[in-house]
DNA sequence: ATCTTTGCAAAATGTTTGCATTGGT
DNA sequence: ACCAATGCAAACATTTTGCAAAGAT
């Protein structure tokens, strides 16, 4: 899948002076395999299911480190829990649809949206804009019945 | 300021079967006076400063009720604390610039952005899209130095 | 050998809930 | 009088931190 991203992430971590470690590696591999934003709890649970038990603190610490190096994107969709997903070095990214009923999160892409936000980001002078998030709230087909 | 919104909110609450109450009224008035999204803690603090002491639980309960009636919009900008702001009945709204350093939040508007999101919302069939949030992360002029 | 990473448990933070009391109708 | 709104404290959920043990270089 995005095994290239794994290499990329490990390289950046090494550059930044981090040593290797099993827990962090496991989190990185899981993130690379996942399709969309996961919560810390989901990561911990899925690792335990797969037999690779990782301490909760290590999950959070790893996510914090990856976020600081812009290797993952942190996303807040409003359920009180942060979600994280791989940030590709190409800068390519998507945004999210969130079902406010069941919490389901799905990605979507739109080039025009990106262009519009780019334009706004340049226009704004009071802020030096970096990342951006667009979240569309609603009901997924399943919940809408 | 948006004293019309206060009327509007009170009317909707009455319709929904709520009785009146001093704590809720105080929160509503503060929200109407505020310019941009406030956290529950900020609301509680500002009410205490103004001499109107309101229990924390009442702040949260009021915000929850207002959100359920779409009288306020809940916003998550990533610092682990939710923010709330008045939702005008006209549907008019703005989005937010967030300083990831100091937590400062500022509003911005862009008609083209709204139009683009409208189009996407209609295009998406797997979800019934309602609200949306756009958050531009970055550094404010003060923090960027 | 040294210094990081890890895991556990405890603390900190933000939010919700239970319950007795106050207050609106 | 009735029942909802309020405030307090306790419960709860998520995230962060302190520290000893294991692991990487």
């Amino acid at each position: 899948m995005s095994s290239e991203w794994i290499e990329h992430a490990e390289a950046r971590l090494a550059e930044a002076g981090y040593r290797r470690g099993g827990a962090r590696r496991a989190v990185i591999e899981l993130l690379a395999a996942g399709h969309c934003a996961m919560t810390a709890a989901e990561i911990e649970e899925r690792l335990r299911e797969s037999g690779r038990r990782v301490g909760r603190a290590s999950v959070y610490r790893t996510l914090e480190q990856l976020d600081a190096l812009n290797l993952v994107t942190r996303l807040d969709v409003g359920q009180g829990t942060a979600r994280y997903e791989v940030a590709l070095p190409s800068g390519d990214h998507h945004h999210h649809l969130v079902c406010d009923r069941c919490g389901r999160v799905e990605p979507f892409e739109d080039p025009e949206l990106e262009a519009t936000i780019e334009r706004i980001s340049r226009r704004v002078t009071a802020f030096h804009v970096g990342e951006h998030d667009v979240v569309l709230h609603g009901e997924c087909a399943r919940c809408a019945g």
Side-chain angles (χ1 to χ4, degrees), chain A:
Chain A
M1 214 154 273
S2 48
S3 54
E4 303 149 28
W5 177 78
I6 295 179
E7 303 289 317
H8 175 67
E10 293 283 16
R12 288 289 151 82
L13 285 163
E15 274 172 34
Y18 290 102
R19 289 187 184 175
R20 285 147 162 272
R24 180 163 54 220
R25 177 75 189 198
V27 172
I28 288 173
E29 286 178 1
L30 181 60
L31 284 167
H35 342 68
C36 199
M38 282 184 281
T39 64
E42 283 165 6
I43 291 169
E44 190 189 2
E45 186 185 1
R46 291 181 56 175
L47 286 174
R48 178 167 30 220
E49 282 169 7
S50 75
R52 180 60 177 88
R53 212 193 147 94
V54 167
R56 182 166 314 164
S58 297
V59 173
Y60 280 105
R61 277 189 284 237
T62 296
L63 292 172
E64 187 186 353
Q65 293 159 355
L66 294 175
D67 191 30
L69 295 173
N70 290 309
L71 294 167
V72 297
T73 296
R74 180 183 181 141
L75 170 74
D76 287 85
V77 297
Q79 261 94 243
T81 65
R83 287 175 176 272
Y84 295 83
E85 68 188 354
V86 167
L88 276 335
S90 64
D92 261 24
H93 67 288
H94 54 248
H95 293 293
H96 300 86
L97 291 155
V98 177
C99 178
D100 291 328
R101 263 225 234 184
C102 70
R104 190 183 185 73
V105 176
E106 298 248 339
F108 76 90
E109 287 184 69
D110 189 89
E112 188 188 329
L113 179 59
E114 297 306 320
T116 302
I117 290 175
E118 272 296 305
R119 182 179 55 69
I120 295 169
S121 296
R122 278 193 299 271
R123 190 192 70 196
V124 171
T125 54
F127 270 68
H128 188 297
V129 177
E131 305 274 308
H132 61 258
D133 292 325
V134 178
V135 179
L136 304 186
H137 290 272
E139 283 185 350
C140 69
R142 195 175 304 174
C143 287

